[in-house]
């Protein structure tokens, strides 16, 4: 039985490589398929894109190169996409970490920087001179005297929620605000965010749904 | 086998050397064998506070460079029989001549002969600091009730925690001015301890006799009558595992009777 199957697509083809078959068989069958296609396709069609799916088989680098080499033999065939239905464990873990919300409970001391690639629920103690940085949003329940940096390096949609009155600075994406409790009024449910004019601005967290609906829903799902 | 403790602070001039000298002396008075090592290369002090300067022949750099053997460079403090020794720092060399490995080596050579090795750390967090903490099983962090000092202590505790030493770092708050603290003009003991979130080993009051004693080369702890002396003695006892209550911050305000009649009023 053939270990590869073909489906037409606009401007190209989708090919499924059967993960239950031997990978060498996949390669042989794929080569045959491509040869047949190149004979039947008209020259004037221009370049054809191929979308390959390996099902439940995860390819390693040499295997990917073998497939790429097959396509290099045909001038008008382009390997546009190569994917599997499964994920590497470490990749999966990184994704989970990016999606979920991470609870941080430690003491971040002067000179220390703690970095997250996710939203962070901060329950710890951020000392003056310390930095809590995340690519996502930061929800503060602990004490903050240092620098809070959300949306690092360029996520404008990130917010910082909670009591930031003691913090030295808050930063979101490429904006910075030096906190001066004498000048601004902060409460336990202050929300810092970048407004439409791309200026770091403050509001109260009951407006989170209106201001950042996506984030609001994500929080609802996670907590 | 000795326990080695580094006395460190980040900030300069908060009382590291004074603490090293007084704790070393207090432990020796309690019959422990103690070796103090001055690691402030180029700015040695510990020998002065101990009144041992004139007896220096070799120093730690001589030992590292192989110009002297370790036991030749150790100065025995004759006031305490065989209990207290000092390995002095060099006064006239560049600091980077000693490496963390050298310190580890020296400490390990001394371990079998002592109960405690106290490492007097230089200010800052550069090479000299790295050298000092390399040889230590645990750290005593000194700070004064001032924000810059507490902030530097915080930085140092962070660096110490990264190293995961055998013993958790502990805090001494030095130069406490009771009336300033009681009136709320400085951070108080609880605030500082809570902020740094490490265990409190003890407190020492501001006491001008500390300076007089250092100038005379007799650490204040040798005279039990002073407030600061009691502070150091309590700390030494806690290091040995005793539980000693913290000294009270309350100032003794003489009552009316006492002011009028002095001590006589009590005799009735
Ligand atoms: N409890 C105290 N009361 C009054 N004076 C004190 C007290 N403790 C220390 N001092 C004084 O403070 C000064 C600095 O102390 P010391 O030299 O021990 O600090 P250090 O931290 O070792 O300094 P360095 O960073 O320069 O090594 C000295 O003059 C000392 O006598
Ligand atoms: Mg000193």
């Amino acid at each position: 039985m053939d270990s590869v199957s073909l489906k037409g697509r606009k401007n190209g083809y989708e090919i499924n490589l059967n993960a239950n078959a031997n990978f060498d068989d996949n390669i042989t069958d794929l080569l045959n398929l491509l040869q047949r296609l190149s004979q039947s396709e008209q020259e004037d069609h221009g370049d054809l894109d191929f979308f390959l799916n390996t099902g439940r088989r995860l390819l390693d680098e040499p295997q990917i190169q073998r497939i790429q080499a097959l396509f290099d033999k045909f001038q008008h065939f382009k390997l546009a996409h190569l994917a599997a239905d499964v994920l590497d464990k470490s990749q999966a873990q990184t994704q989970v970490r990016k999606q979920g919300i991470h609870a941080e409970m430690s003491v971040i001391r002067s000179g220390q920087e703690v970095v997250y690639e996710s939203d962070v629920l901060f329950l710890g103690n951020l000392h003056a001179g310390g930095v809590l940085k995340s690519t996502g949003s930061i929800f503060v329940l602990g004490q903050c005297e240092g620098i809070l940096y959300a949306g690092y390096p360029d996520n404008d949609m990130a917010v910082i929620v909670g009591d930031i009155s003691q913090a030295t600075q808050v930063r979101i994406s490429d904006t910075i605000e030096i906190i001066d409790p004498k000048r601004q009024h902060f409460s336990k449910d202050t929300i810092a965010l970048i407004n439409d004019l791309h200026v770091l601005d403050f509001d109260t967290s009951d407006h989170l749904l209106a201001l950042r609906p996506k984030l609001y829903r994500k929080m609802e799902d996670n907590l | 086998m000795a326990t080695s403790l580094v006395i460190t602070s980040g900030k300069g001039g908060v009382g590291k050397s004074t603490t090293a000298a007084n704790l070393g002396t207090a432990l020796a008075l309690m019959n422990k064998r103690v070796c103090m090592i001055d690691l402030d290369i180029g700015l040695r002090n510990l020998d002065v506070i101990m009144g041992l300067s004139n007896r220096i022949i070799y120093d730690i750099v001589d030992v590292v460079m192989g110009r002297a053997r370790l036991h030749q460079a150790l100065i025995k403090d004759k006031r305490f029989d065989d209990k207290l020794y000092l390995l002095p720092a060099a006064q006239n060399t560049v600091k980077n001549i000693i490496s963390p490995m050298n310190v580890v080596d020296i400490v390990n050579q001394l371990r079998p002969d002592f109960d405690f090795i106290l490492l007097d750390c230089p200010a800052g967090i550069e090479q000299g600091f790295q050298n000092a903490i390399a040889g230590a099983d645990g750290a005593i962090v000194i700070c004064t009730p001032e924000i810059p000092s507490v902030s530097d202590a915080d930085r140092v505790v962070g660096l110490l925690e990264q190293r995961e030493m055998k013993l958790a770092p502990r805090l001494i708050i030095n130069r406490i001015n009771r009336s300033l603290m009681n009136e709320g003009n400085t951070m108080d003991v609880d605030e500082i301890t809570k902020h740094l979130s490490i265990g409190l080993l003890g407190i020492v009051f501001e006491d001008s006799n500390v300076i007089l004693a250092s100038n005379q080369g007799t650490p204040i702890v040798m005279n039990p009558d002073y407030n600061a002396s009691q502070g150091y003695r309590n700390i030494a006892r806690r290091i040995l595992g005793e539980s000693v209550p913290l000294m009270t911050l309350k100032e003794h305000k003489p009552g009316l009777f006492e002011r009028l009649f002095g001590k006589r009023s009590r005799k009735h």
Side-chain angles (χ1 to χ4, degrees), chain B residues 58 92 97 104 110 113 176-177 206-207 214 216 223 228 264:
Chain B
Y58 297 112
N92 50 8
I97 218 156
V104 172
L110 292 171
D113 298 329
I176 292 177
N177 179 322
E206 170 77 30
D207 187 340
S214 294
Q216 288 161 7
N223 186 336
R264 271 174 302 146

Side-chain angles (χ1 to χ4, degrees), chain B residues 12-18 40 123 174-175 204-207 210-211:
Chain B
V14 297
K16 292 179 291 297
S17 303
T18 306
D40 203 345
N174 188 24
R175 305 196 75 157
V204 180
F205 293 120
E206 170 77 30
D207 187 340
V210 170
I211 303 173

Side-chain angles (χ1 to χ4, degrees), chain B residues 27-99:
Chain B
L27 289 165
L29 286 170
M30 296 165 81
N31 267 326
K32 296 296 162 191
R33 283 175 59 90
V34 183
C35 183
M36 302 176 290
I37 305 182
D38 190 346
L39 286 168
D40 203 345
I41 312 296
L43 291 167
R44 72 179 173 212
N45 277 163
L46 206 45
D47 53 302
V48 185
I49 302 173
M50 294 302 300
L52 297 171
S53 303
N54 57 359
R55 301 201 21 223
I56 297 177
I57 299 169
Y58 297 112
D59 56 46
I60 188 168
V61 172
D62 291 321
V63 174
V64 167
M65 301 300 282
R67 291 189 292 252
R69 266 169 296 147
L70 181 53
H71 78 262
Q72 287 180 299
L74 289 182
I75 301 171
K76 181 163 114 183
D77 192 326
K78 290 183 180 141
R79 292 168 291 192
F80 306 94
D81 297 326
D82 213 14
K83 294 285 184 288
L84 191 59
Y85 287 79
L86 170 70
L87 178 58
Q91 184 66 319
N92 50 8
T93 19
V94 270
K95 294 189 175 197
N96 289 340
I97 218 156
I98 289 187
S99 76

